[in-house]
């Protein structure tokens, strides 16, 4: 006898299995209409590959798997597809979901199919593909795609393969009957699994000791193989995957981990049969064993049911009394869910239809206050603290719920069963689990939204910066163009001017050749005039530049200074020359300004200013100050006149003019003060 | 030494405190410079609690600005998409009283996603420019469509649409997204007193 371990907690509800396991498995028959939900498993729903009106044969694929974690759906009898639409499906939500409806033709005609004679010659991946195409999902209850579980995983080696024949929930006997009647198929299926998984250590079938016939049958069938049939004391919920692993191996699957983490793979008894039929006979998963039981049915037994058969069809076969039934349950009394509608179909995970009377399974009494008895903690198979979880759940303290390992709850219902106050504890846990999952998803989505928002903001900023740079470049280019239009090519202009000058000098030359002296003087005069001309132009340019606020103001200013110094130097030279040759000196050596007076107003003004400066330099300080006062007075008078005129006409510039007058007033006061001070100083 | 201390206990104590105070003060000053936290850590924490819909219903241009405002003392009840749970989380974080949602900024509604009626879309790109998370796909004079998985349901695309072809649709529950709800807490008190009903009868 092999050693088995115990799990924490657990309960011993009435088994109620004898009602349904007395008779052999019956074939339920072919209903007129079958409904195939596209989602009968965990993962992405399958995608329909048939059209309405299409004739299909038994075993033909009608919906294919979408993605890796998904399972195909096959027609369970021959007939015609009459609808692909939303229908009520067996689910605690009582919602509708996409389904394919098939009208059977009664012929039950198989599609051509063929088993694999010797699967040992086949590659493992190919074999897994066969299982995938056969549409096999775990038949214990969760419906996890079997092919995914069996896929070759990287480095992980499997020590132990466990086949779950526990069937710990009350009332359900489908696995029990399957083990009694089809032990050989089960063992053959396990051999296929052993070939696929290659467990290094052992292969175990775990069965509770309340099924002696099943144990005996399997022991007989397993003789001569490496498969061990292990029985252990009956207790709910030893059939939970993690619980069974602990019972059989003493190993605990870590919180949030998978059996693979401790080198174990678990499969359900029903799944082994389905795999056997898929490999040995080439038959996809189109039927399963379902228990129909409860006192509201006269005939309690196990049926071999075609998938898609309506629950009502099965109930009709079993002498169901609607009036006696308190509620219809799919699954067992502990973990099953109420069916609101008996027209939902049997799916791959439907192991039991329970139709209890009111006496048998009375409606839940109202919950009373928690008396903190601690019974729930005593029975919890996952060693959690259900009472604490209950309080946190009611207070929505999700962090604390997670700290107390709510996610390790297997929702077995033992705590609710034990609760003397009838608190629906599992419901609280289910709701809180959903809340926590939702919160996590929201957090992920928020993070994603934030990233997208920030990326967008960055992009907008970048685009704005680029636009700004372009705008600046355009503005600069426009300015450049404007300047070029005012002075078309300055270099060319300079060259032209130089040429013109040369030509003029050439033409004047003969006249100046009278005498060397006069020639020299003439040359000097000419140079002087030239320099003066240049000075005037330079000044003009400077003024222009200043007005336009050009960058070259500095350069122009230096040029003016240089030209000015040259002018002074030349003038000095001429004066020296005249001094040396006084006879020849004439009035022409006097400031040449008057001579070069032109019609140009600007040049006139400059010449005037120069004259004034010369005059000013010869004035005494007193005169200068007097002049300044009189000039400012004059300007003030003028400004006042203008202001008066503007006021009369109510022009726009009154403000400006008033301002100007005020400024001039100040200036006049300043000038007056300076003059007074000067006079005072002189008198002292 | 002991005698001196015994003689001038006050000065000895003062000296001892001074001797301790100077190095520790220096240490604290050094730590303040060396381990200075960049940015505003409270704003970061607040931001991580906000739903990041960037909807602007709080009257700030996005979740980050509102987080910064909260860090500077703004009310925590101006985020309708976050709802009560966000207010509760913020109250816990900032150790303030949780207050009900400010109705002025909107009500907590079911989650929605934008849906563009593609037949009516004229391809003006106005909604694309309004979407804070770039969840609308399309180009000028091409039909637009919403990337449902990225849409935060912020509503900002509805108003700019010149032909009103955008609907905010509640997210539908599927078999995959269905969830159990909390049972209604029924707490019965046992009593032997006659109830009002019985008296009336």
């Amino acid at each position: 006898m092999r050693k088995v371990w115990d799990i924490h907690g657990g309960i011993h509800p009435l088994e109620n299995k004898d009602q349904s396991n007395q008779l052999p498995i019956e074939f339920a028959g072919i209903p007129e209409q079958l409904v195939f939900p596209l989602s009968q498993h965990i993962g992405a729903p399958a995608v329909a590959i048939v059209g309405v009106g299409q004739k299909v044969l038994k075993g033909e694929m009608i919906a294919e798997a979408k993605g890796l974690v998904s399972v195909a759906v096959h027609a369970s009898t021959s007939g015609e597809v009459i609808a692909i639409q939303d229908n009520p499906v067996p689910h605690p939500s009582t919602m509708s979901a996409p389904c394919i409806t098939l009208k059977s033709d009664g012929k039950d005609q198989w599609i051509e199919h063929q088993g694999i004679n010797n699967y040992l010659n086949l590659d493992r991946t190919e074999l897994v593909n066969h299982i995938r195409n056969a549409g096999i999902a775990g038949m214990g209850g969760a419906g996890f795609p079997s092919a995914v579980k069996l896929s070759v995983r990287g480095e992980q080696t499997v020590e132990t393969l466990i086949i779950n024949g526990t069937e710990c929930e009350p009332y359900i006997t489908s696995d029990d009957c399957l083990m009694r009647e089809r032990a050989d198929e089960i063992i053959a299926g396990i051999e296929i699994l052993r070939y696929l998984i290659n467990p290094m250590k052992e292969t175990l079938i775990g069965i509770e000791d309340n099924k002696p016939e099943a144990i005996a049958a399997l022991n007989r069938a397993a003789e001569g193989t490496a498969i061990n049939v292990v029985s252990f004391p009956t207790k709910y919920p030893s059939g939970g995957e993690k619980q069974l692993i602990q019972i059989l191996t003493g190993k605990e699957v870590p919180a949030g981990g998978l059996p693979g983490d401790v080198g174990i793979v678990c499969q359900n008894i029903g799944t082994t049969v389905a795999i056997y039929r898929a490999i040995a006979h080439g038959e996809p998963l189109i039927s399963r064993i379902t228990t129909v039981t409860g006192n509201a049915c006269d005939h309690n037994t196990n049926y071999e049911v075609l998938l898609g058969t309506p629950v009502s069809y099965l109930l009709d076969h079993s002498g169901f009394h609607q009036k006696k039934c308190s509620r219809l349950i799919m699954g067992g009394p502990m973990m099953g869910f109420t069916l609101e509608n008996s027209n939902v179909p049997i799916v791959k995970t439907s192991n039991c239809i329970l139709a209890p009377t009111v006496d048998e399974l009375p409606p839940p009494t109202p919950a009373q206050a928690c008396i903190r008895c601690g019974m729930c903690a005593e029975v919890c198979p996952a060693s959690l603290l259900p009472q604490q979880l209950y309080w946190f759940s009611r207070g929505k303290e999700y962090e604390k719920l997670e700290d107390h390992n709510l996610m390790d709850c297997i929702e077995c219902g033992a705590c609710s069963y034990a609760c003397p106050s009838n608190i629906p504890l599992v419901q609280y846990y289910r709701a809180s689990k959903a809340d926590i999952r939702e919160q996590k998803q929201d957090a992920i989505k928020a993070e994603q939204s934030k990233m997208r928002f920030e990326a967008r903001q960055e992009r907008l900023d970048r685009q704005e910066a680029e636009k700004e740079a372009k705008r600046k470049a355009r503005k600069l280019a426009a300015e450049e163009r404007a300047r070029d239009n005012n002075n078309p090519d300055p270099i060319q202009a300079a060259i032209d001017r130089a040429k013109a000058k040369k030509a003029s000098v050439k033409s004047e030359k003969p006249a100046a050749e009278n005498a060397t002296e006069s020639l020299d003087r003439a040359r000097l005069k000419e140079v002087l005039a030239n320099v003066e001309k240049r000075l005037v132009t330079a000044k003009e340019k400077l003024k222009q530049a200043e007005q336009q606020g050009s960058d070259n103001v500095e350069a122009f200013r230096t040029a003016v200074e240089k030209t000015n110094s040259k002018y002074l130097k030349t003038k000095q030279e001429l004066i020296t020359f005249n001094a040396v040759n006084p006879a020849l000196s004439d009035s022409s050596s006097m400031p040449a300004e008057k001579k070069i007076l032109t019609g140009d107003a600007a040049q006139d003004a400059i010449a005037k200013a120069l004259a004034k400066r010369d005059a000013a330099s010869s004035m005494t300080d007193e005169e200068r100050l007097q002049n300044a006062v009189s000039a400012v007075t004059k300007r003030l008078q003028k400004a006042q006149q203008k202001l008066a005129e503007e006021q009369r006409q109510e022009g726009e510039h009154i403000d400006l003019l008033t301002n100007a007058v005020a400024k001039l007033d100040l200036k006049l006061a300043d000038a007056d003060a300076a003059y007074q001070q000067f006079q005072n100083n002189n008198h002292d | 030494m002991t005698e001196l201390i015994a003689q001038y206990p006050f000065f000895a104590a003062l000296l001892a405190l001074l001797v301790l105070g100077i190095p520790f003060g220096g240490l604290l000053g050094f730590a303040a410079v060396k381990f200075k936290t960049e940015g505003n850590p409270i704003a970061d924490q607040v931001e991580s609690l906000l739903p990041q819909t960037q909807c602007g219903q709080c009257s700030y241009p996005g979740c980050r600005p509102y987080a910064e405002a909260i860090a500077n003392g703004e009310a925590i009840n101006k985020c309708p998409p976050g709802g009560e749970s966000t207010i509760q989380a913020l109250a816990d974080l900032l150790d303030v009283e949780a207050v009900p949602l400010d109705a002025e900024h909107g009500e907590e509604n079911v989650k929605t996603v934008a849906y563009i009626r593609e037949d009516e879309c004229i391809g003006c790109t106005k909604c694309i420019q309004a979407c804070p998370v770039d969840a609308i796909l399309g180009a000028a004079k091409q039909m637009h469509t919403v990337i449902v998985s990225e849409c935060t349901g912020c509503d900002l695309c509805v108003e700019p649409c010149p032909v009103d072809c955008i609907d905010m649709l509640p997210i539908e529950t599927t078999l995959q997204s269905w969830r159990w709800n909390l049972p209604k807490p029924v707490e019965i008190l046992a009593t032997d007193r006659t109830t009002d009903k019985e008296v009336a009868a």
Side-chain angles (χ1 to χ4, degrees), chain A residues 93 367 394 430 435 442 445 448 452 456 459, chain B residues 111 129 131 133-134 150-151 179-180 186-187:
Chain A
S93 64
R394 282 189 60 172
R430 282 173 170 165
D435 276 339
D442 284 354
K445 177 142 194 203
Q448 209 178 329
R452 287 182 79 87
R456 177 176 188 264
R459 193 190 70 225
Chain B
K111 280 184 193 156
Q129 290 157 31
C131 180
V133 290
D134 282 339
E150 304 296 349
C151 176
R179 42 157 302 171
W180 291 90
V186 194
E187 312 252 309

PDB file of all heavy atoms in Angstrom, chain A residues 93 367 394 430 435 442 445 448 452 456 459, chain B residues 111 129 131 133-134 150-151 179-180 186-187:
ATOM      1  N   SER A  93     -23.558  33.224 -15.541  1.00  0.00           N
ATOM      2  CA  SER A  93     -24.084  34.554 -15.853  1.00  0.00           C
ATOM      3  C   SER A  93     -25.453  34.500 -16.495  1.00  0.00           C
ATOM      4  O   SER A  93     -26.122  35.522 -16.601  1.00  0.00           O
ATOM      5  CB  SER A  93     -23.125  35.254 -16.807  1.00  0.00           C
ATOM      6  OG  SER A  93     -23.081  34.553 -18.025  1.00  0.00           O
ATOM      7  N   ALA A 367     -28.467  34.803   5.257  1.00  0.00           N
ATOM      8  CA  ALA A 367     -27.208  34.830   5.998  1.00  0.00           C
ATOM      9  C   ALA A 367     -27.393  35.593   7.300  1.00  0.00           C
ATOM     10  O   ALA A 367     -28.138  36.568   7.381  1.00  0.00           O
ATOM     11  CB  ALA A 367     -26.133  35.495   5.156  1.00  0.00           C
ATOM     12  N   ARG A 394     -15.844  42.365   2.450  1.00  0.00           N
ATOM     13  CA  ARG A 394     -16.944  43.313   2.673  1.00  0.00           C
ATOM     14  C   ARG A 394     -16.439  44.736   2.747  1.00  0.00           C
ATOM     15  O   ARG A 394     -17.135  45.666   2.327  1.00  0.00           O
ATOM     16  CB  ARG A 394     -17.675  42.954   3.968  1.00  0.00           C
ATOM     17  CG  ARG A 394     -18.595  41.789   3.794  1.00  0.00           C
ATOM     18  CD  ARG A 394     -19.465  41.596   4.997  1.00  0.00           C
ATOM     19  NE  ARG A 394     -20.300  42.750   5.275  1.00  0.00           N
ATOM     20  CZ  ARG A 394     -21.262  42.765   6.194  1.00  0.00           C
ATOM     21  NH1 ARG A 394     -21.478  41.687   6.907  1.00  0.00           N
ATOM     22  NH2 ARG A 394     -21.978  43.829   6.399  1.00  0.00           N
ATOM     23  N   ARG A 430     -15.489  35.279  -4.799  1.00  0.00           N
ATOM     24  CA  ARG A 430     -15.536  35.380  -6.261  1.00  0.00           C
ATOM     25  C   ARG A 430     -15.621  36.841  -6.695  1.00  0.00           C
ATOM     26  O   ARG A 430     -14.910  37.279  -7.603  1.00  0.00           O
ATOM     27  CB  ARG A 430     -16.741  34.624  -6.813  1.00  0.00           C
ATOM     28  CG  ARG A 430     -16.517  33.131  -6.855  1.00  0.00           C
ATOM     29  CD  ARG A 430     -17.807  32.434  -7.244  1.00  0.00           C
ATOM     30  NE  ARG A 430     -17.588  31.037  -7.532  1.00  0.00           N
ATOM     31  CZ  ARG A 430     -18.574  30.140  -7.618  1.00  0.00           C
ATOM     32  NH1 ARG A 430     -19.822  30.526  -7.419  1.00  0.00           N
ATOM     33  NH2 ARG A 430     -18.315  28.891  -7.893  1.00  0.00           N
ATOM     34  N   ASP A 435     -12.973  41.798  -8.656  1.00  0.00           N
ATOM     35  CA  ASP A 435     -12.605  43.201  -8.450  1.00  0.00           C
ATOM     36  C   ASP A 435     -11.103  43.396  -8.568  1.00  0.00           C
ATOM     37  O   ASP A 435     -10.631  44.347  -9.186  1.00  0.00           O
ATOM     38  CB  ASP A 435     -13.059  43.654  -7.053  1.00  0.00           C
ATOM     39  CG  ASP A 435     -14.514  44.080  -7.063  1.00  0.00           C
ATOM     40  OD1 ASP A 435     -15.007  44.399  -8.150  1.00  0.00           O
ATOM     41  OD2 ASP A 435     -15.135  44.081  -5.988  1.00  0.00           O
ATOM     42  N   ASP A 442      -7.200  47.520 -15.004  1.00  0.00           N
ATOM     43  CA  ASP A 442      -7.323  48.978 -15.116  1.00  0.00           C
ATOM     44  C   ASP A 442      -5.967  49.642 -14.948  1.00  0.00           C
ATOM     45  O   ASP A 442      -5.638  50.603 -15.645  1.00  0.00           O
ATOM     46  CB  ASP A 442      -8.294  49.512 -14.060  1.00  0.00           C
ATOM     47  CG  ASP A 442      -9.730  49.238 -14.444  1.00  0.00           C
ATOM     48  OD1 ASP A 442      -9.947  48.751 -15.570  1.00  0.00           O
ATOM     49  OD2 ASP A 442     -10.635  49.484 -13.627  1.00  0.00           O
ATOM     50  N   LYS A 445      -4.044  49.235 -18.031  1.00  0.00           N
ATOM     51  CA  LYS A 445      -4.579  50.115 -19.072  1.00  0.00           C
ATOM     52  C   LYS A 445      -4.194  51.566 -18.794  1.00  0.00           C
ATOM     53  O   LYS A 445      -3.856  52.311 -19.720  1.00  0.00           O
ATOM     54  CB  LYS A 445      -6.108  49.974 -19.137  1.00  0.00           C
ATOM     55  CG  LYS A 445      -6.715  50.910 -20.145  1.00  0.00           C
ATOM     56  CD  LYS A 445      -7.860  50.296 -20.903  1.00  0.00           C
ATOM     57  CE  LYS A 445      -8.164  51.153 -22.110  1.00  0.00           C
ATOM     58  NZ  LYS A 445      -9.496  51.015 -22.613  1.00  0.00           N
ATOM     59  N   GLN A 448      -0.720  52.103 -19.797  1.00  0.00           N
ATOM     60  CA  GLN A 448      -0.637  52.160 -21.250  1.00  0.00           C
ATOM     61  C   GLN A 448      -1.123  53.523 -21.761  1.00  0.00           C
ATOM     62  O   GLN A 448      -0.485  54.134 -22.619  1.00  0.00           O
ATOM     63  CB  GLN A 448      -1.553  51.062 -21.788  1.00  0.00           C
ATOM     64  CG  GLN A 448      -1.168  50.479 -23.098  1.00  0.00           C
ATOM     65  CD  GLN A 448      -2.143  49.371 -23.460  1.00  0.00           C
ATOM     66  OE1 GLN A 448      -2.683  48.697 -22.592  1.00  0.00           O
ATOM     67  NE2 GLN A 448      -2.389  49.191 -24.726  1.00  0.00           N
ATOM     68  N   ARG A 452       0.902  56.398 -23.867  1.00  0.00           N
ATOM     69  CA  ARG A 452       0.441  56.925 -25.161  1.00  0.00           C
ATOM     70  C   ARG A 452       0.259  58.431 -25.088  1.00  0.00           C
ATOM     71  O   ARG A 452       0.600  59.158 -26.015  1.00  0.00           O
ATOM     72  CB  ARG A 452      -0.877  56.256 -25.555  1.00  0.00           C
ATOM     73  CG  ARG A 452      -0.705  54.832 -25.986  1.00  0.00           C
ATOM     74  CD  ARG A 452      -2.031  54.251 -26.399  1.00  0.00           C
ATOM     75  NE  ARG A 452      -2.435  54.648 -27.732  1.00  0.00           N
ATOM     76  CZ  ARG A 452      -2.082  54.017 -28.830  1.00  0.00           C
ATOM     77  NH1 ARG A 452      -1.340  52.961 -28.750  1.00  0.00           N
ATOM     78  NH2 ARG A 452      -2.483  54.437 -29.999  1.00  0.00           N
ATOM     79  N   ARG A 456       2.327  61.176 -27.207  1.00  0.00           N
ATOM     80  CA  ARG A 456       1.620  62.134 -28.055  1.00  0.00           C
ATOM     81  C   ARG A 456       2.060  63.554 -27.722  1.00  0.00           C
ATOM     82  O   ARG A 456       2.331  64.356 -28.619  1.00  0.00           O
ATOM     83  CB  ARG A 456       0.118  61.995 -27.830  1.00  0.00           C
ATOM     84  CG  ARG A 456      -0.688  62.986 -28.617  1.00  0.00           C
ATOM     85  CD  ARG A 456      -2.164  62.723 -28.430  1.00  0.00           C
ATOM     86  NE  ARG A 456      -2.946  63.540 -29.323  1.00  0.00           N
ATOM     87  CZ  ARG A 456      -3.468  64.698 -28.961  1.00  0.00           C
ATOM     88  NH1 ARG A 456      -3.259  65.180 -27.768  1.00  0.00           N
ATOM     89  NH2 ARG A 456      -4.190  65.390 -29.832  1.00  0.00           N
ATOM     90  N   ARG A 459       5.365  64.243 -29.099  1.00  0.00           N
ATOM     91  CA  ARG A 459       5.303  64.418 -30.548  1.00  0.00           C
ATOM     92  C   ARG A 459       4.792  65.821 -30.875  1.00  0.00           C
ATOM     93  O   ARG A 459       5.344  66.510 -31.729  1.00  0.00           O
ATOM     94  CB  ARG A 459       4.369  63.369 -31.152  1.00  0.00           C
ATOM     95  CG  ARG A 459       4.474  63.275 -32.648  1.00  0.00           C
ATOM     96  CD  ARG A 459       3.378  62.427 -33.232  1.00  0.00           C
ATOM     97  NE  ARG A 459       2.095  63.081 -33.125  1.00  0.00           N
ATOM     98  CZ  ARG A 459       0.994  62.479 -32.722  1.00  0.00           C
ATOM     99  NH1 ARG A 459       1.025  61.219 -32.387  1.00  0.00           N
ATOM    100  NH2 ARG A 459      -0.134  63.151 -32.645  1.00  0.00           N
TER     101      ARG A 459
ATOM    102  N   LYS B 111     -18.311  52.292 -17.854  1.00  0.00           N
ATOM    103  CA  LYS B 111     -17.195  52.536 -18.770  1.00  0.00           C
ATOM    104  C   LYS B 111     -17.695  52.491 -20.207  1.00  0.00           C
ATOM    105  O   LYS B 111     -18.497  51.636 -20.570  1.00  0.00           O
ATOM    106  CB  LYS B 111     -16.129  51.476 -18.565  1.00  0.00           C
ATOM    107  CG  LYS B 111     -15.284  51.793 -17.361  1.00  0.00           C
ATOM    108  CD  LYS B 111     -14.169  50.791 -17.217  1.00  0.00           C
ATOM    109  CE  LYS B 111     -13.553  50.957 -15.850  1.00  0.00           C
ATOM    110  NZ  LYS B 111     -12.894  49.728 -15.437  1.00  0.00           N
ATOM    111  N   GLN B 129      -7.288  64.739 -33.752  1.00  0.00           N
ATOM    112  CA  GLN B 129      -6.520  65.762 -33.052  1.00  0.00           C
ATOM    113  C   GLN B 129      -6.959  65.885 -31.604  1.00  0.00           C
ATOM    114  O   GLN B 129      -6.179  66.261 -30.737  1.00  0.00           O
ATOM    115  CB  GLN B 129      -6.694  67.106 -33.748  1.00  0.00           C
ATOM    116  CG  GLN B 129      -6.009  67.151 -35.101  1.00  0.00           C
ATOM    117  CD  GLN B 129      -6.627  68.200 -35.999  1.00  0.00           C
ATOM    118  OE1 GLN B 129      -7.117  69.219 -35.535  1.00  0.00           O
ATOM    119  NE2 GLN B 129      -6.591  67.944 -37.298  1.00  0.00           N
ATOM    120  N   CYS B 131      -8.081  63.388 -29.639  1.00  0.00           N
ATOM    121  CA  CYS B 131      -7.848  62.188 -28.822  1.00  0.00           C
ATOM    122  C   CYS B 131      -6.528  62.313 -28.065  1.00  0.00           C
ATOM    123  O   CYS B 131      -5.482  62.454 -28.677  1.00  0.00           O
ATOM    124  CB  CYS B 131      -7.825  60.939 -29.697  1.00  0.00           C
ATOM    125  SG  CYS B 131      -7.553  59.464 -28.719  1.00  0.00           S
ATOM    126  N   VAL B 133      -4.943  60.050 -26.415  1.00  0.00           N
ATOM    127  CA  VAL B 133      -4.092  58.864 -26.387  1.00  0.00           C
ATOM    128  C   VAL B 133      -3.904  58.258 -27.783  1.00  0.00           C
ATOM    129  O   VAL B 133      -3.499  57.111 -27.901  1.00  0.00           O
ATOM    130  CB  VAL B 133      -4.647  57.784 -25.428  1.00  0.00           C
ATOM    131  CG1 VAL B 133      -4.513  58.243 -23.995  1.00  0.00           C
ATOM    132  CG2 VAL B 133      -6.082  57.466 -25.741  1.00  0.00           C
ATOM    133  N   ASP B 134      -4.156  59.046 -28.805  1.00  0.00           N
ATOM    134  CA  ASP B 134      -3.960  58.579 -30.186  1.00  0.00           C
ATOM    135  C   ASP B 134      -4.676  57.259 -30.451  1.00  0.00           C
ATOM    136  O   ASP B 134      -4.118  56.350 -31.040  1.00  0.00           O
ATOM    137  CB  ASP B 134      -2.462  58.402 -30.480  1.00  0.00           C
ATOM    138  CG  ASP B 134      -1.797  59.721 -30.738  1.00  0.00           C
ATOM    139  OD1 ASP B 134      -2.521  60.665 -31.085  1.00  0.00           O
ATOM    140  OD2 ASP B 134      -0.572  59.821 -30.606  1.00  0.00           O
ATOM    141  N   GLU B 150      -7.445  50.799 -26.962  1.00  0.00           N
ATOM    142  CA  GLU B 150      -6.683  51.951 -26.477  1.00  0.00           C
ATOM    143  C   GLU B 150      -7.591  53.083 -26.014  1.00  0.00           C
ATOM    144  O   GLU B 150      -7.129  54.026 -25.387  1.00  0.00           O
ATOM    145  CB  GLU B 150      -5.753  52.479 -27.573  1.00  0.00           C
ATOM    146  CG  GLU B 150      -4.792  51.460 -28.139  1.00  0.00           C
ATOM    147  CD  GLU B 150      -3.799  50.955 -27.117  1.00  0.00           C
ATOM    148  OE1 GLU B 150      -3.716  51.546 -26.026  1.00  0.00           O
ATOM    149  OE2 GLU B 150      -3.126  49.960 -27.406  1.00  0.00           O
ATOM    150  N   CYS B 151      -8.863  53.031 -26.367  1.00  0.00           N
ATOM    151  CA  CYS B 151      -9.780  54.127 -26.032  1.00  0.00           C
ATOM    152  C   CYS B 151     -10.003  54.158 -24.530  1.00  0.00           C
ATOM    153  O   CYS B 151     -10.294  53.136 -23.923  1.00  0.00           O
ATOM    154  CB  CYS B 151     -11.097  53.928 -26.762  1.00  0.00           C
ATOM    155  SG  CYS B 151     -12.327  55.163 -26.338  1.00  0.00           S
ATOM    156  N   ARG B 179     -18.510  38.823 -14.420  1.00  0.00           N
ATOM    157  CA  ARG B 179     -17.961  38.650 -13.081  1.00  0.00           C
ATOM    158  C   ARG B 179     -19.074  38.480 -12.051  1.00  0.00           C
ATOM    159  O   ARG B 179     -20.184  38.948 -12.247  1.00  0.00           O
ATOM    160  CB  ARG B 179     -17.096  39.837 -12.707  1.00  0.00           C
ATOM    161  CG  ARG B 179     -17.704  41.172 -13.129  1.00  0.00           C
ATOM    162  CD  ARG B 179     -17.165  42.286 -12.317  1.00  0.00           C
ATOM    163  NE  ARG B 179     -17.452  42.019 -10.918  1.00  0.00           N
ATOM    164  CZ  ARG B 179     -16.970  42.716  -9.921  1.00  0.00           C
ATOM    165  NH1 ARG B 179     -16.168  43.704 -10.152  1.00  0.00           N
ATOM    166  NH2 ARG B 179     -17.300  42.431  -8.677  1.00  0.00           N
ATOM    167  N   TRP B 180     -18.719  37.826 -10.971  1.00  0.00           N
ATOM    168  CA  TRP B 180     -19.671  37.681  -9.870  1.00  0.00           C
ATOM    169  C   TRP B 180     -19.767  39.005  -9.138  1.00  0.00           C
ATOM    170  O   TRP B 180     -18.801  39.759  -9.046  1.00  0.00           O
ATOM    171  CB  TRP B 180     -19.192  36.621  -8.889  1.00  0.00           C
ATOM    172  CG  TRP B 180     -19.224  35.235  -9.418  1.00  0.00           C
ATOM    173  CD1 TRP B 180     -18.213  34.602 -10.074  1.00  0.00           C
ATOM    174  CD2 TRP B 180     -20.281  34.293  -9.337  1.00  0.00           C
ATOM    175  NE1 TRP B 180     -18.570  33.330 -10.408  1.00  0.00           N
ATOM    176  CE2 TRP B 180     -19.851  33.105  -9.957  1.00  0.00           C
ATOM    177  CE3 TRP B 180     -21.568  34.324  -8.792  1.00  0.00           C
ATOM    178  CZ2 TRP B 180     -20.645  31.959 -10.051  1.00  0.00           C
ATOM    179  CZ3 TRP B 180     -22.348  33.188  -8.882  1.00  0.00           C
ATOM    180  CH2 TRP B 180     -21.898  32.020  -9.505  1.00  0.00           C
ATOM    181  N   VAL B 186     -27.328  40.544   4.078  1.00  0.00           N
ATOM    182  CA  VAL B 186     -28.594  40.503   4.816  1.00  0.00           C
ATOM    183  C   VAL B 186     -28.243  40.057   6.218  1.00  0.00           C
ATOM    184  O   VAL B 186     -27.752  38.967   6.424  1.00  0.00           O
ATOM    185  CB  VAL B 186     -29.578  39.480   4.208  1.00  0.00           C
ATOM    186  CG1 VAL B 186     -30.962  39.707   4.751  1.00  0.00           C
ATOM    187  CG2 VAL B 186     -29.553  39.544   2.706  1.00  0.00           C
ATOM    188  N   GLU B 187     -28.428  40.908   7.150  1.00  0.00           N
ATOM    189  CA  GLU B 187     -28.130  40.529   8.515  1.00  0.00           C
ATOM    190  C   GLU B 187     -29.452  40.534   9.262  1.00  0.00           C
ATOM    191  O   GLU B 187     -30.111  41.571   9.392  1.00  0.00           O
ATOM    192  CB  GLU B 187     -27.168  41.521   9.142  1.00  0.00           C
ATOM    193  CG  GLU B 187     -25.986  41.817   8.245  1.00  0.00           C
ATOM    194  CD  GLU B 187     -24.703  41.191   8.747  1.00  0.00           C
ATOM    195  OE1 GLU B 187     -24.383  41.382   9.923  1.00  0.00           O
ATOM    196  OE2 GLU B 187     -24.019  40.517   7.959  1.00  0.00           O
TER     197      GLU B 187
END
